Amino acid sequence: MALFAFEQVTFSYPGAARAALHGVNLALEPGQFVLVCGPSGCGKTTLLRHFKPALAPHGVREGRILFEGAALEELPAREQVARIGFVMQDPDAQLVTDSVWHELAFVLESLGYDQRTMRLRVAEMASYFGIQHWFHKSVDALSGGQKQRVAIARALSMQPEVLLFDEPTSALDPQMVGEVLSVMRQLAKEGLTMIVVTHEMAFARDVSSHVVYMADGVICEEGTPADIFEHPQNPRTIEFLSRFREQ
């Protein structure tokens, strides 16, 4: 059974002249690192946000989205938080507390986890991500790369089954990008299901196991990185990749 299945999903923003997503069919398996790519405005971020109902944009949707064979919108809010993590592109927009340790504990505390479980999870995440050295710092004192690392650690503290990334390095200085990408590479090696929208195409090409190419709200082509990057079939994919190779 697919982890996620989109069946003829069409979505339109209020007052929009055309659909942002049109007739999307997509099935993703557990353990995949999925790269969603395409030109600006192609609908990739809109698609990504439909993987988590709490973050889905306002508008009109048709079609079905299934999570482990059941309607995704019927997944209780608590399970959404715990099972589907989300990391935004702007680290400052997603950190909500004053200190690193409190940020790591925030979601666990909000969902009523007991103190022992919270301490254990927070300690595990701090150690895994090398955060223990600035554990008691104010989040305002962190670099952009450190803030994004904390955001990823906080999402993983819930032990999710899938982690969504929306351009996780686009707001970072170049020297900070490698710090975040190294974390994502390690998570991919450990088999966490990840769905990533990113402009770091070379990194995603090397690490991803499945590539989805979009244009004008439609999935034009999907397959392995070798399928898409070495043997693209759709003219739109070929044009997009030719520009990417010239960069």
Side-chain angles (χ1 to χ4, degrees), residues 224-240:
T224 67
D227 292 335
I228 304 301
F229 287 93
E230 298 175 21
H231 307 289
Q233 302 297 315
N234 189 286
R236 288 182 170 182
T237 314
I238 294 170
E239 179 185 3
F240 175 78

Side-chain angles (χ1 to χ4, degrees), residues 62-74:
E62 300 175 359
R64 295 200 307 165
I65 304 176
L66 305 179
F67 179 68
E68 296 183 334
L72 178 60
E73 62 266 25
E74 294 178 4

Side-chain angles (χ1 to χ4, degrees), residues 32-204:
Q32 287 185 312
F33 183 117
V34 182
L35 166 64
V36 182
C37 61
S40 297
C42 70
K44 52 187 183 288
T45 293
T46 300
L47 176 68
L48 185 73
R49 287 182 171 271
H50 276 85
F51 282 93
K52 186 162 183 167
L55 297 175
H58 178 62
V60 178
R61 197 199 84 196
E62 300 175 359
R64 295 200 307 165
I65 304 176
L66 305 179
F67 179 68
E68 296 183 334
L72 178 60
E73 62 266 25
E74 294 178 4
L75 189 67
R78 182 185 177 93
E79 288 194 51
Q80 280 189 47
V81 172
R83 302 177 71 184
I84 306 172
F86 193 96
V87 178
M88 302 178 186
Q89 57 183 296
D90 182 359
D92 288 314
Q94 56 197 321
L95 302 183
V96 297
T97 67
D98 57 347
S99 65
V100 172
W101 74 267
H102 199 187
E103 195 66 41
L104 295 179
F106 176 75
V107 179
L108 296 167
E109 189 176 42
S110 299
L111 294 180
Y113 278 75
D114 62 85
Q115 289 292 322
R116 182 179 181 278
T117 299
M118 283 196 294
R119 290 195 192 97
L120 180 61
R121 296 270 188 95
V122 167
E124 286 175 344
M125 290 301 100
S127 176
Y128 181 86
F129 286 98
I131 291 172
Q132 65 269 30
H133 303 298
W134 26 281
F135 191 66
H136 294 287
K137 274 190 175 183
S138 164
V139 294
D140 292 333
L142 303 181
S143 69
Q146 288 174 328
K147 288 177 181 178
Q148 199 65 298
R149 188 185 292 193
V150 170
I152 297 171
R154 185 185 66 183
L156 287 175
S157 71
M158 298 301 301
Q159 300 179 346
E161 293 162 49
V162 58
L163 194 53
L164 312 174
F165 291 89
D166 184 12
E167 297 280 9
T169 61
S170 65
L172 303 180
D173 293 334
Q175 63 267 29
M176 300 176 186
V177 170
E179 182 178 341
V180 174
L181 295 184
S182 66
V183 171
M184 295 173 65
R185 187 184 298 276
Q186 182 60 36
L187 295 175
K189 288 180 180 178
E190 295 186 6
L192 177 68
T193 303
M194 293 188 285
I195 305 169
V196 182
V197 170
T198 180
H199 65 283
E200 299 290 341
M201 293 289 290
F203 164 80

Side-chain angles (χ1 to χ4, degrees), residues 6-20:
F6 283 58
E7 299 178 353
Q8 286 295 312
V9 173
T10 295
F11 173 80
S12 299
Y13 287 99
R18 58 186 299 176

